[in-house]
Amino acid sequence: SLEAILRDHPALSALGSSALADRGRAEGALGLPDPVVSLGLNNFPIFSPSLTEYLPTHKYVGVRQAIPNSAKRKAGSLKSLRSAAKTELETEMQFQSLRGQLIQLLIEQQKIDQLRAIAVKRDRKYQELSDIIEIEINAGRSVIFRLAEVEVERAEVSRKLSELDGAEAEIEAQLINLVGFTPKVKAPDLSLQPWSGNALAFYAVRVADAGVNIMDAAVQQAEADFKPDWGVNLTYQQRESGRGAPRSNFDGDDWVSGGVSFTIPFWADKKQEPNLRAAKNDRESARYNRMDVARRVLSQWKRFDARRTVAAENIKIFDTKIGAIDSRIASQLITYETGAGDYSPIIDGEIA
């Protein structure tokens, strides 16, 4: 349920809209430019304006259609499609990052609940220890200094509880930012993700690799610039019949003109070749960036794995210490029950 809410996070929606925009641009890149329609008059006399007195005067309707070379259009479409694929990878990476933050916050939430319960229990033990010390003082033991020590430690417990309240408020604020409310659910069980050793298993590397694919398409686009762009034009022309005057004794007529145009990369050394070199340099830069990202995430993985290993070892050390303290408490309890010791060391052990 929380993952479904995360899918609607504004950050993910923004990336999703960006990917859709790129896919729209990919479709549009394959289309042709709008045709150009022209209307007008040719050879219209200025000083004796007339459509019927001067033989070359005629009206025309023309249509011109530019046809950019298909390789360039396909490369532009491919570049947009690969940009969309990269953005979709970024969307999934961002979702997994948000999901990781959510799980971490739920774990922190459980941690705070457990630490608060421990602190409350510890405070009760200090109260119990104070009662025991007062009994020992009344019995003539010179341990009144212990009461001051206990009060100092109880003040530390109060400070810890206050810190936990502040940390909980921060976690609740972050949870509201992620899912819009403060969920009270148990964090899911976690296990170490298996890794095959392939850097592309990491989202960041896959995103960087998608950047290389985009630059590949940019190189194709630059190479296509060397190919000609085409164009076709068709013009319908109409001449009116003369009125029979000395200069206008001619018949009307209709005719059609057409043609094909194409570009020649005459200035390739000044335009296309520098653009191609730039595109190849961009691709090389993207490849180096992929290598850099791969190294960084592998280093991060190793650091996290080392922290996990240390944490697991610390748990074993704590369990050993707790076992030792329990054994000491049991031994002190036996000694106390024989009438040869005090009860306060037993409470100290339970507090520890």
Side-chain angles (χ1 to χ4, degrees), residues 115-239:
L115 289 177
R116 183 181 285 112
I118 290 171
V120 171
K121 187 175 180 181
R122 186 179 174 190
D123 188 65
R124 288 200 296 265
K125 285 295 178 181
Y126 279 129
Q127 181 60 52
E128 187 177 345
L129 180 59
S130 295
D131 295 341
I132 295 297
I133 291 172
E134 288 180 359
I135 292 173
E136 291 176 352
I137 292 172
N138 293 334
R141 302 290 303 278
S142 57
V143 291
I144 192 170
F145 67 92
R146 289 295 311 277
L147 286 176
E149 292 177 351
V150 169
E151 288 305 314
V152 169
E153 293 181 13
R154 290 189 75 177
E156 181 64 21
V157 171
S158 298
R159 186 187 66 81
K160 181 67 176 179
L161 286 169
S162 178
E163 287 182 353
L164 291 174
D165 289 340
E168 185 177 46
E170 290 183 9
I171 289 172
E172 289 177 350
Q174 294 179 64
L175 286 169
I176 290 172
N177 177 53
L178 285 177
V179 294
F181 63 98
T182 305
K184 292 292 183 181
V185 297
K186 184 179 180 297
D189 294 330
L190 300 178
S191 60
L192 182 65
Q193 290 285 346
W195 179 46
S196 64
N198 185 356
L200 287 174
F202 296 101
Y203 277 112
V205 180
R206 287 161 62 188
V207 169
D209 186 63
V212 175
N213 292 336
I214 293 172
M215 291 302 103
D216 279 336
V219 170
Q220 295 178 35
Q221 200 171 22
E223 290 172 341
D225 278 339
F226 287 88
K227 299 180 179 180
D229 291 328
W230 294 84
V232 295
N233 61 82
L234 182 68
T235 304
Y236 168 75
Q237 296 155 310
Q238 183 187 65
R239 183 180 65 206

Side-chain angles (χ1 to χ4, degrees), residues 41-59 238-253 255:
L41 292 172
N42 274 337
N43 306 310
F44 187 73
I46 297 176
F47 299 108
S48 56
S50 173
L51 295 175
T52 59
E53 293 185 2
Y54 185 47
L55 178 64
T57 302
H58 62 273
K59 297 173 285 186
Q238 183 187 65
R239 183 180 65 206
E240 300 287 344
S241 298
R243 298 286 181 86
R247 295 177 54 195
S248 61
N249 189 16
F250 51 83
D251 295 328
D253 204 352
W255 65 97

